[in-house]
Amino acid sequence: MRLFLTLLALCAVLFVASLTSGQITAGVSESLAALFARDGLPLSVVMQEIRLPRAILAVMIGASLGMAGAAMQGFLRNPLAEPGLIGVSGSAALGAVLAIQTGLTLVCPLALPLAALTGAVLAVLLILMLAGPRGASITLILAGIAISALAAALTSLVLNLSPNPFAAADIVFWMMGSLADRSFVHVWLALPFMAVGWVLLILSGRGLDALTLGEDAAHAMGINLTRLRLMVVIGTASAVGAATAVAGAIGFVGLVVPHLLRRFVGARPSALLWASALGGAAMVLAADIAVREILPQRDLKLGVLMALVGAPLFLHLIFKTRKEMA
């Protein structure tokens, strides 16, 4: 309970900080008052139509990535597993890339996230088809790796053959991941898919707890492993696919956050799901604030910053784990 309250308080503080971060400087009380004003002033418009949806998306995306990472690690019983392992992120990125390359985004602004969601859905169907309804975890991993590699290869092919340098530049910048220029349209588009993913992953908590004792023990406890697997895969795909669709590729959240919080929950997957959701939200909020404060004039991408911070942090965790096991 103490961890939950601490993470919740941290998210609340960072949420307020996100609302008050940006090039338009104003006091905290003035900025928060502008959230509810109907005066049409520039600060009110910025707070209500730019900063508020951006902060909400940061919470949604961080929670989705953190919870999905904890679920994948619990299901595969591997602390190195992460949501991108099943190829959903790469497939969603491929769908978005095709939307940019074909010019659909010029016709309909929502074509990009919708194409990315379509790519994520197709990836899930392919994974379930390749792995089979009763396939082992290793089969699921191999299917995900194959789909991820294929999506990456096709994305590279599109970039290689792109005759339009401006489209290629848009593709590269989108794949870096960002929450800039997002609106409530993106929030409402992603929320239903993320909500489905959250519900499925939370409902899988009991099964993930039982799975820590092994598949045979979990089966003896009445856990339907096929159903559990479908819940984890579809829940992860729904949450992560929607996150990638509206913000691009943002890595390391689902890998690092469960690692940092696992010791505080006694390595119980069901408790780690909630903790990782709040921890992921806090991490993405903090990173998005840093993006706006470090280089406000250069449009530093969120995915780039997450990689720069997440990779060294993960290496530190690896060395720390090696010392503890020695």
Side-chain angles (χ1 to χ4, degrees):
M1 180 58 71
R2 182 180 301 176
L3 175 65
F4 176 80
L5 294 176
T6 301
L7 291 173
L8 192 62
L10 179 61
C11 287
V13 171
L14 290 172
F15 189 86
V16 173
S18 178
L19 291 175
T20 56
S21 297
Q23 296 186 25
I24 297 181
T25 56
V28 176
S29 58
E30 184 182 358
S31 297
L32 295 180
L35 278 176
F36 307 98
R38 292 292 182 267
D39 50 21
L41 295 177
L43 181 59
S44 301
V45 173
V46 168
M47 292 297 297
Q48 296 169 14
E49 299 183 13
I50 298 177
R51 292 185 181 177
L52 181 58
R54 182 169 183 164
I56 293 174
L57 270 178
V59 172
M60 291 166 53
I61 291 169
S64 296
L65 296 176
M67 185 180 291
M72 288 299 298
Q73 292 179 13
F75 178 72
L76 298 176
R77 287 167 290 171
N78 186 341
L80 298 179
E82 55 103 17
L85 190 63
I86 60 175
V88 174
S89 299
S91 300
L94 175 60
V97 165
L98 291 174
I100 296 174
Q101 179 59 34
T102 56
L104 289 176
T105 53
L106 299 177
V107 179
C108 176
L110 289 179
L112 191 150
L114 289 174
L117 286 171
T118 302
V121 171
L122 292 176
V124 175
L125 296 177
L126 280 173
I127 289 171
L128 296 177
M129 183 180 68
L130 291 173
R134 299 181 180 275
S137 297
I138 186 64
T139 310
L140 178 67
I141 295 174
L142 292 175
I145 291 174
I147 293 173
S148 182
L150 178 61
L154 292 175
T155 301
S156 299
L157 180 63
V158 172
L159 281 169
N160 188 30
L161 300 179
S162 175
N164 187 345
F166 298 103
D170 288 341
I171 290 171
V172 172
F173 282 121
W174 182 85
M175 292 179 64
M176 291 180 183
S178 176
L179 291 176
D181 302 323
R182 302 307 190 265
S183 66
F184 273 109
V185 173
H186 297 88
V187 173
W188 297 122
L189 178 64
L191 184 58
F193 295 94
M194 288 185 178
V196 170
W198 298 338
V199 171
L200 290 174
L201 294 177
I202 291 171
L203 292 177
S204 69
R206 177 176 174 271
L208 294 176
D209 286 345
L211 199 58
T212 58
L213 303 175
E215 292 188 1
D216 293 337
H219 183 71
M221 294 172 64
I223 302 299
N224 187 326
L225 297 179
T226 300
R227 180 185 176 191
L228 175 63
R229 177 182 168 193
L230 287 173
M231 290 172 64
V232 171
V233 171
I234 296 176
T236 297
S238 183
V240 176
T244 306
V246 296
I250 300 175
F252 285 99
V253 178
L255 184 62
V256 173
V257 171
H259 261 287
L260 292 174
L261 299 176
R262 183 171 286 107
R263 69 182 65 186
F264 299 106
V265 298
R268 283 176 44 238
S270 58
L272 188 60
L273 290 174
W274 289 100
S276 296
L278 292 173
M283 189 174 189
V284 174
L285 279 170
D288 191 47
I289 293 170
V291 163
R292 284 177 278 176
E293 297 296 335
I294 295 175
L295 293 173
Q297 305 297 331
R298 298 299 300 272
D299 191 23
L300 179 63
K301 297 299 182 181
L302 179 60
V304 175
L305 180 63
M306 291 301 302
L308 289 173
V309 174
L313 181 59
F314 188 62
L315 289 174
H316 170 71
L317 291 173
I318 291 176
F319 284 117
K320 188 174 181 179
T321 303
R322 283 183 57 186
K323 289 182 180 179
E324 292 176 353
M325 295 178 62

